[in-house]
Amino acid sequence: MFKNHPKGLLAAALANMGERFGFYIMMAILTLFISSKFGLSETTTGLIYSAFYASIYLLALVGGLIADRTKNYKGTIMAGIVLMAAGYLIIAIPTPTPVPDKGLYLALTCLGLLVISFGNGLFKGNLQALVGQMYDDPRYADRRDAGFQIFYMFINVGAMFAPFIAIGVRNWWLKANGFDYNAALPELCHQYLGQGTAMPAESLSRLTEYAGKAMLDGSAVTDLQAFAGNYLDVFNRGFQYAFAAAIVAMLISLAIYVVNKKRFPDPALKAAAGEKGGAKVSKEEIQMSAQEVRQRIYALFAVFGVVIFFCFRSIRTDTR
């Protein structure tokens, strides 16, 4: 598969696969974690998720600008990996549920998400630029498309297995503590802790029924207050241990990147060479016809429309 491709392609693909694996572990459980951890409504959870998702794309532009200004592309990519690992660590540190101070702990979680999105901005686009420069070598120029297909295939592999790990870690922790998984219980538990027996009769009946079924040893639940607190704490610690798996993936990605760093080209050198031959580059750019420019712009808008549609559908689905 990697025959007749640059030596650094495999390392770049593996580093990106590790990063995407960690990212999609988080994305698979993020909305449920936020709502179950803090007892937030679907609307509020959706707003936090949407803001985080938007920041990923906005900060990708910032990451590109930083790399262009500093001319330190490899260092920017490494900083991105480290920041993402730090962001996962912030949200992975086990904290009690229900939280003693909702505002403080929610702010810390949002800070962790911001750090992750900023690290993603430093890492993702700049690594792709680095892969692109590998194929500026005339020996590999005709294999550029195949190279990027391999690169993105590794991304999809990481994204495919990540949700199974996230769900598996959460369910393992629940079972280790004698509980079965029930997605409806966190909301009911928060409702009971906030309202007690004053909660609607239908909801109280559902909580009692689900609580009994959630006990793996078949024991009866006699104290709903204690059950609600214990179930929420175990449920959310399982999520935070899943985030810890994302940290492991990021550390593996960092190790692969550091070991193979010398194999990667330096886009800063190409930029410097382009500045020296500026007149020649400008002349080549002018040769593109206006019709070709318009076709490329239309194609980009078509892609943007499809991506926006599916992202919107994804956000609506995840916040239900």
Side-chain angles (χ1 to χ4, degrees):
M1 180 187 298
F2 292 93
K3 186 178 180 180
N4 299 322
H5 285 279
K7 292 182 178 180
L9 177 62
L10 175 60
L14 287 172
N16 204 31
M17 183 177 72
E19 183 275 328
R20 288 291 89 183
F21 182 78
F23 180 80
Y24 283 107
I25 282 178
M26 177 198 66
M27 294 301 286
I29 56 178
L30 181 59
T31 54
L32 185 54
F33 167 72
I34 292 174
S35 61
S36 64
K37 181 72 176 178
F38 303 105
L40 301 178
S41 65
E42 289 186 0
T43 301
T44 304
T45 302
L47 288 173
I48 294 173
Y49 179 90
S50 300
F52 170 64
Y53 215 80
S55 68
I56 290 174
Y57 292 97
L58 292 174
L59 291 175
L61 174 61
V62 175
L65 291 174
I66 290 174
D68 287 340
R69 292 288 180 87
T70 62
K71 305 300 181 185
N72 185 9
Y73 293 86
K74 293 183 180 181
T76 302
I77 293 170
M78 186 180 298
I81 299 175
V82 172
L83 279 177
M84 280 186 283
Y88 292 132
L89 178 61
I90 292 173
I91 61 177
I93 296 174
T95 53
T97 308
V99 292
D101 187 333
K102 182 184 291 188
L104 174 62
Y105 284 87
L106 181 58
L108 287 174
T109 299
C110 291
L111 174 63
L113 294 176
L114 179 62
V115 172
I116 292 169
S117 60
F118 184 50
N120 182 80
L122 295 176
F123 174 84
K124 191 174 180 181
N126 291 315
L127 183 64
Q128 292 172 356
L130 185 148
V131 172
Q133 193 180 354
M134 293 180 188
Y135 289 89
D136 289 343
D137 188 325
R139 295 175 297 173
Y140 309 115
D142 61 337
R143 301 183 184 91
R144 184 185 298 269
D145 290 343
F148 272 101
Q149 287 177 0
I150 294 171
F151 183 74
Y152 287 116
M153 180 188 70
F154 274 69
I155 293 176
N156 292 332
V157 169
M160 180 174 64
F161 289 105
F164 296 103
I165 298 298
I167 294 170
V169 170
R170 179 203 61 199
N171 291 348
W172 160 77
W173 185 246
L174 279 168
K175 292 184 186 305
N177 286 271
F179 293 119
D180 194 13
Y181 172 74
N182 188 325
L185 269 175
E187 181 181 359
L188 292 170
C189 289
H190 276 291
Q191 193 174 1
Y192 184 84
L193 291 176
Q195 301 177 18
T197 55
M199 68 187 295
E202 181 182 353
S203 297
L204 184 59
S205 175
R206 289 173 59 211
L207 173 60
T208 304
E209 177 188 354
Y210 293 163
K213 292 180 179 179
M215 302 299 295
L216 292 179
D217 60 3
S219 61
V221 176
T222 57
D223 187 344
L224 284 177
Q225 183 83 13
F227 170 84
N230 290 336
Y231 191 84
L232 284 173
D233 191 57
V234 172
F235 192 89
N236 288 291
R237 282 181 187 269
F239 280 138
Q240 290 178 304
Y241 292 145
F243 293 139
I247 299 174
V248 174
M250 293 307 307
L251 294 177
I252 294 173
S253 179
L254 177 62
I256 293 171
Y257 181 81
V258 171
V259 169
N260 295 276
K261 188 177 178 182
K262 293 182 179 179
R263 292 187 176 187
F264 300 144
D266 190 347
L269 299 178
K270 180 182 177 182
E275 290 175 1
K276 291 181 180 179
K280 183 178 179 180
V281 173
S282 298
K283 188 175 181 180
E284 291 175 351
E285 290 175 348
I286 294 172
Q287 290 177 357
M288 184 182 293
S289 67
Q291 179 65 22
E292 187 176 0
V293 172
R294 282 197 295 271
Q295 288 176 346
R296 294 189 178 191
I297 292 175
Y298 294 152
L300 281 173
F301 276 120
V303 171
F304 291 160
V306 172
V307 170
I308 290 171
F309 172 76
F310 281 105
C311 284
F312 178 73
R313 287 292 301 273
S314 175
I315 290 171
R316 289 193 64 188
T317 303
D318 288 339
T319 53
R320 285 176 181 174

